[in-house]
Amino acid sequence: MTSITDASVAVVHGTALERGGGVQVAEELARVFDAPLFFGLCTKAVEDRISADIEHHRLFQGMVSRFVREKPFLRNLYQMGKFQHVPQLHDFDVIIQSDNGTSWYVPPEEQVLIRYVHSPPGPLYHRFPEVGYSKVTQLSAFISRILRQPYTQFPDVQVANSETTKRRMEKYFNISTEVVYPPVNTGNYTPNEREDFYFTLSRLTEAKSVDDIVKTFTNHHPEKQLIVGGSGPQEEYLRSISGPNVEIRGWLSEEEKSGLMGSCAAMILNSGNESFGIVPIEAFASGAPVIALDQGHTRYQIRDGWNGILYSKGRLSDAIDRFEEDGVAATPSEIELFAERFSVDKFHDDFREILRRVLESNDSCSSWKEDGEPV
């Protein structure tokens, strides 16, 4: 039987335009098996920030890749063509995929393929009722679903990052998955004395709805301080709409991030479609309560009134008032303890167990009788 220690493993991540949660998860997957990490489309800024202990490579380079990587429609078409046949990956015993862009890959017959699913493509499935109004969108989504469906059957096992993603996989693809929560370096965060400011951290894109947080503090809570961390295409726009009580810090180092999480009055998150959400767990590990939109998987991470506050869309101001008046029931120490179920060690153990089972199953399927007849 091929053992975990004998198997050659590679981790593949499709698109890395910023070093967000998906890239960090891919890095940790590489650490689990001391494996090289391959990116399809990647910026130099991301490559420069990959941890020094991880061997990493960019699969697709050149003018065309640089042109399409910032354009979602063209990027999807490009990846559909390029990822089907990637000779650099063919000689590995095991490939672990870490985002949807890689799902077009066709593995050699004997290669083990494990897909870690952060979420099915939202605009094609769970977000389609929100975005599928135009005939062009409907047609392109319909074609994309037809083209994508056969590729969902290639992995030996599919692993969801949360119960929310597991439910989506079962609903839209009729695929059963098991759940392994993304790794959070909970030991990097420590509760400090809480201070009188609020903190939000995310990629500064339209989908994260950070602008609504900034507007709420600027227009409705000018007496309260908000610090915004993260980078992205909306950074300058957010600066332009911020009042004097809002500070846009941009990209933060791990030390800066943990310091702010450890001392803020509360974290605020306004994204409605998180399939897991690493930032809330980092906040909990820092002893910070989280005020978040009552959507996506975040609603299952927060016990309303205990370790955070949940609010309906458009009601963030009311949630802040509620938090100011009542706070939360859990102490910072209790909130910190809650985060331990999402540790890096558990992530390593769970993925090693999954690969061990897959290798055992494949070995059993390829066993032969002494006379050369298949079992």
Side-chain angles (χ1 to χ4, degrees):
M1 181 187 79
T2 303
S3 67
I4 292 180
T5 55
D6 294 334
S8 59
V9 180
V11 176
V12 189
H13 186 85
T15 303
L17 304 183
E18 297 178 4
R19 192 174 178 273
V23 173
Q24 294 177 56
V25 169
E27 286 183 332
E28 202 58 50
L29 278 168
R31 288 193 185 96
V32 174
F33 304 105
D34 192 22
L37 173 57
F38 291 87
F39 293 103
L41 299 171
C42 183
T43 63
K44 186 177 185 301
V46 170
E47 283 193 296
D48 289 345
R49 292 173 56 201
I50 298 297
S51 300
D53 61 317
I54 295 174
E55 175 191 344
H56 61 278
H57 309 273
R58 196 191 308 190
L59 292 171
F60 314 136
Q61 303 190 52
M63 292 181 58
V64 175
S65 68
R66 290 194 295 271
F67 176 75
V68 303
R69 69 189 182 195
E70 303 283 353
K71 301 170 176 61
F73 180 74
L74 294 178
R75 181 173 69 228
N76 291 338
L77 289 178
Y78 181 83
Q79 290 181 321
M80 182 174 65
K82 296 288 284 187
F83 259 118
Q84 291 184 61
H85 188 258
V86 188
Q88 299 98 309
L89 304 179
H90 290 171
D91 290 335
F92 290 95
D93 297 320
V94 181
I95 296 294
I96 301 178
Q97 299 173 314
S98 183
D99 78 346
N100 290 322
T102 65
S103 61
W104 304 103
Y105 175 67
V106 181
E109 183 179 4
E110 299 299 326
Q111 190 175 65
V112 170
L113 186 62
I114 298 174
R115 183 174 298 161
Y116 189 41
V117 183
H118 302 290
S119 176
L124 302 183
Y125 298 101
H126 55 279
R127 290 186 56 220
F128 185 73
E130 304 169 20
V131 302
Y133 290 102
S134 75
K135 295 299 182 184
V136 172
T137 300
Q138 292 170 17
L139 179 60
S140 63
F142 177 72
I143 294 172
S144 295
R145 290 190 210 103
I146 292 174
L147 294 175
R148 189 175 294 272
Q149 190 68 33
Y151 291 84
T152 64
Q153 310 302 320
F154 288 165
D156 293 79
V157 62
Q158 306 213 44
V159 184
N161 68 348
S162 70
E163 288 80 6
T164 298
T165 299
K166 175 182 173 69
R167 185 179 67 250
R168 290 170 181 170
M169 294 296 290
E170 292 172 348
K171 183 178 187 66
Y172 295 112
F173 301 123
N174 194 29
I175 291 174
S176 179
T177 67
E178 50 189 296
V179 174
V180 174
Y181 294 126
V184 181
N185 285 302
T186 53
N188 291 352
Y189 301 91
T190 305
N192 299 319
E193 184 176 348
R194 310 244 66 92
E195 300 179 21
D196 190 22
F197 71 89
Y198 292 84
F199 180 43
T200 187
L201 174 71
S202 76
R203 292 178 60 204
L204 303 183
T205 64
E206 184 177 355
K208 298 295 184 179
S209 300
V210 179
D211 56 332
D212 288 338
I213 303 176
V214 170
K215 291 173 184 176
T216 296
F217 275 83
T218 297
N219 300 325
H220 301 291
H221 294 278
E223 77 288 357
K224 293 297 178 184
Q225 182 185 10
L226 172 69
I227 296 177
V228 179
S231 59
Q234 282 206 322
E235 185 171 342
E236 290 307 313
Y237 166 67
L238 294 177
R239 293 183 194 279
S240 72
I241 64 171
S242 295
N245 61 320
V246 177
E247 181 181 357
I248 311 295
R249 290 275 185 97
W251 179 82
L252 299 173
S253 68
E254 289 299 313
E255 184 178 1
E256 290 173 316
K257 181 175 76 171
S258 62
L260 290 166
M261 284 185 173
S263 56
C264 68
M267 283 289 299
I268 298 183
L269 300 171
N270 196 47
S271 176
N273 289 289
E274 296 293 341
S275 56
F276 176 73
I278 290 178
V279 169
I281 307 306
E282 292 174 334
F284 293 148
S286 307
V290 176
I291 301 173
L293 190 63
D294 189 11
Q295 293 181 14
H297 191 69
T298 310
R299 75 179 83 176
Y300 302 113
Q301 296 170 326
I302 294 174
R303 290 169 52 188
D304 188 41
W306 186 79
N307 62 350
I309 302 290
L310 293 171
Y311 63 91
S312 301
K313 191 172 180 62
R315 305 300 296 270
L316 173 57
S317 182
D318 294 339
I320 294 170
D321 288 337
R322 178 184 164 194
F323 179 76
E324 288 285 331
E325 183 174 345
D326 301 329
V328 294
T331 66
S333 296
E334 290 172 329
I335 295 175
E336 180 186 17
L337 184 62
F338 174 79
E340 287 304 313
R341 68 190 68 187
F342 307 100
S343 70
V344 171
D345 288 344
K346 189 172 190 314
F347 179 81
H348 280 231
D349 291 343
D350 288 347
F351 254 99
R352 290 180 68 84
E353 174 60 19
I354 286 170
L355 181 54
R356 184 193 64 78
R357 293 201 314 262
V358 174
L359 292 175
E360 281 187 354
S361 175
N362 281 16
D363 186 69
S364 174
C365 291
S366 63
S367 62
W368 292 73
K369 293 180 180 178
E370 290 184 2
D371 61 3
E373 291 298 323
V375 175

